[in-house]
Amino acid sequence: QGSLLYLDVLGAAFPRALVHRGTALLHWSPGCPRAPAGWPLPTLYCTPAAAGTVPSRAAALRLQLLFALRQRALHVLEAGLASELQDTLVALRTEWPQLAQELALGRLSPQPGLPEEVRGQLQALLTPDAARAAELRAECTRGFEGIVLRLWPQLEVVVVRTAHGTERLYCDSLCQADCQGLPFYCPFYQAAGALLGINLWPVEPVPRFLLCPDWAFCEFLPCLANAEPRTVLLDELWEGRKYGLVVTAQPGEYRCRAGEVLKVTGFHKQCPMVEPVRRESQTLSVRGESIPEEQFCQSLCRTLRMWPGARLIDYVCVESSLLGDSSGPCAPHYEVFMELQGLRDLSEGQRYKLDQCLQEDFPIYKSFRFKGSIGPLRLHLVRPGSFTRLREALGSPVPMPRVLREEQLLRLIQGSVIS
């Protein structure tokens, strides 16, 4: 039912989107060749299923990009996550000469970790295309602003499974650069392994999802500051309020906290429409101050406007407790790792702006800073490509965590610091 609703909405808004082999899939799904949401129309895709099943995320996305480049008359680019699309287009920027050569020769270059059986299947599907290779060289030589529409001039829409919350950062970045002129459509809302809602408004810039009553049993915990909340049901929701999500969707999973907070944005034929706001696990707190991920992101974006020429590529936060002895004798604090474009370094005054914005936006954080029980925020710049490698290390196609909780991931990002 969800697949049919999605295809109906997509076809109505973008009439050529459902043409045979008119969709390229960019999604890493090791061992599972299905599309991200599992809809049963493989004839839409020009992407061989085997390309997404290789053990390496980077290799899978690169292979899918190669087969997408073969098909000039694409109408849809589809990715499981907005970050997957971003990393694929980063690979285009850095590897286009090699990709053009593979297109021209119709021959796969060696790929570390690519099983020989899969390599043979994919190689059999490649044929030389010198004209397309020449077009790729010409367009990439011109630069990468608007490169997606220049390479695929018939594209109508970019579809991503997850584009809300802080994944929105990647959509905004792509819209400003590589994907200029293209709408982004996020069709489904999924949580706790269940499909819960669908976006019936594909041309709206901010996705909102209609909760479908019979797809799973959902309860909602009101986000109230001074009361012990009790769960409410779909017909008890209020527009404008925020709720924690509780799901019963599969046998053996009874009343599971999904770890997500939703905001009710309105109603469609008495059924609530929601916008995912934040993930509860991604809250920063070293003294009980509890700064949610979406509000930290807002403070960070406000800070960026004070750094002329800076464009945010990606970021993660760490609570100093994860650093162990390496944090020294200072008070508990946050450490932020950022990749920027347009600035090579930041002065101490510029770095302090983020801490200052957090104090202005969160009075409780300011009070702890004033008392000295929370130390000053430390800001680090990392080299380009650091977050692509971090997502590779995550080991599964999940939305980017904004607060790192694992020492292995922390060491990886620490090893990429340049300033």
Side-chain angles (χ1 to χ4, degrees):
Q1 184 184 10
S3 302
L4 292 175
L5 278 171
Y6 157 67
L7 294 171
D8 181 62
V9 169
L10 184 69
F14 307 100
R16 297 176 298 167
L18 302 183
V19 299
H20 176 67
R21 294 176 64 82
T23 297
L25 179 64
L26 305 170
H27 177 59
W28 180 53
S29 182
C32 179
R34 296 182 305 165
W39 43 83
L41 282 180
T43 54
L44 290 181
Y45 299 98
C46 71
T47 315
T53 64
V54 299
S56 165
R57 176 182 183 272
L61 295 179
R62 187 189 184 281
L63 285 168
Q64 291 172 332
L65 172 62
L66 176 65
F67 280 90
L69 289 168
R70 293 178 69 242
Q71 191 79 2
R72 189 179 191 272
L74 286 181
H75 296 279
V76 180
L77 272 184
E78 178 186 310
L81 299 168
S83 54
E84 288 179 315
L85 177 58
Q86 173 160 296
D87 289 342
T88 302
L89 294 175
V90 168
L92 175 66
R93 286 173 178 255
T94 57
E95 299 188 42
W96 65 265
Q98 182 65 37
L99 288 163
Q101 184 178 15
E102 291 177 54
L103 284 175
L105 300 177
R107 187 182 307 148
L108 281 176
S109 62
Q111 296 287 322
L114 180 60
E116 282 302 316
E117 180 182 357
V118 175
R119 178 184 173 82
Q121 294 174 13
L122 297 175
Q123 180 61 66
L125 298 173
L126 279 178
T127 54
D129 191 340
R132 184 61 172 157
E135 185 176 23
L136 174 61
R137 292 189 183 101
E139 294 299 343
C140 290
T141 302
R142 286 176 53 196
F144 293 90
E145 295 293 311
I147 186 66
V148 171
L149 263 181
R150 287 192 279 118
L151 288 176
W152 297 287
Q154 297 182 44
L155 269 181
E156 296 182 76
V157 63
V158 176
V159 175
V160 287
R161 181 186 66 183
T162 302
H164 45 267
T166 50
E167 279 281 310
R168 191 74 203 168
L169 171 68
Y170 307 117
C171 292
D172 293 342
S173 178
L174 290 167
C175 285
Q176 293 170 17
D178 300 59
C179 297
Q180 284 179 1
L182 282 167
F184 276 65
Y185 174 37
C186 181
F188 294 114
Y189 175 57
Q190 296 172 291
L195 180 61
L196 304 179
I198 187 165
N199 180 1
L200 301 179
W201 304 273
V203 297
E204 293 189 4
V206 178
R208 51 182 179 147
F209 303 94
L210 184 69
L211 291 178
C212 299
D214 56 349
W215 289 2
F217 182 70
C218 295
E219 300 169 83
F220 305 88
L221 277 169
C223 295
L224 301 174
N226 300 314
E228 184 68 29
R230 66 170 185 86
T231 56
V232 297
L233 302 179
L234 278 174
D235 61 337
E236 300 175 284
L237 299 180
W238 288 78
E239 183 174 352
R241 293 187 182 177
K242 295 178 182 178
Y243 299 87
L245 178 64
V246 180
V247 178
T248 300
Q250 302 176 38
E253 295 183 358
Y254 174 65
R255 302 191 81 195
C256 295
R257 289 288 296 267
E260 300 211 9
V261 173
L262 310 175
K263 180 179 179 180
V264 178
T265 60
F267 293 85
H268 177 73
K269 298 183 179 179
Q270 297 185 317
C271 201
M273 300 177 296
V274 299
E275 176 186 334
V277 173
R278 63 177 177 269
R279 297 167 291 178
E280 293 174 332
S281 65
Q282 300 297 292
T283 297
L284 279 167
S285 187
V286 294
R287 289 287 188 188
E289 67 282 8
S290 298
I291 298 181
E293 63 172 333
E294 89 284 3
Q295 293 181 26
F296 180 91
C297 187
Q298 291 169 12
S299 298
L300 178 57
C301 291
R302 187 161 75 87
T303 305
L304 279 165
R305 292 193 286 270
M306 303 179 193
W307 299 340
R311 177 166 161 255
L312 179 64
I313 302 300
D314 222 329
Y315 76 95
V316 290
C317 307
V318 174
E319 297 168 353
S320 59
S321 58
L322 190 64
L323 299 169
D325 294 339
S326 64
S327 66
C330 57
H333 61 277
Y334 309 151
E335 303 224 357
V336 180
F337 299 83
M338 301 174 60
E339 181 181 335
L340 291 180
Q341 193 175 71
L343 283 182
R344 291 188 175 184
D345 201 0
L346 295 170
S347 67
E348 286 304 314
Q350 286 175 311
R351 292 170 191 265
Y352 179 68
K353 288 292 184 183
L354 178 54
D355 194 277
Q356 188 176 35
C357 284
L358 285 174
Q359 292 185 49
E360 293 170 359
D361 295 340
F362 299 96
I364 188 170
Y365 177 78
K366 182 177 181 179
S367 70
F368 282 131
R369 286 283 292 111
F370 179 77
K371 291 184 289 187
S373 55
I374 292 182
L377 177 147
R378 296 180 181 177
L379 185 61
H380 311 277
L381 299 186
V382 301
R383 65 176 61 95
S386 300
F387 285 91
T388 300
R389 291 188 290 274
L390 185 63
R391 283 187 282 273
E392 179 88 14
L394 285 171
S396 60
V398 295
M400 183 71 186
R402 291 301 173 201
V403 182
L404 295 186
R405 308 288 187 191
E406 298 179 29
E407 291 185 13
Q408 175 189 355
L409 300 178
L410 170 61
R411 287 194 296 270
L412 191 154
I413 202 69
Q414 284 179 318
S416 301
V417 170
I418 55 176
S419 170

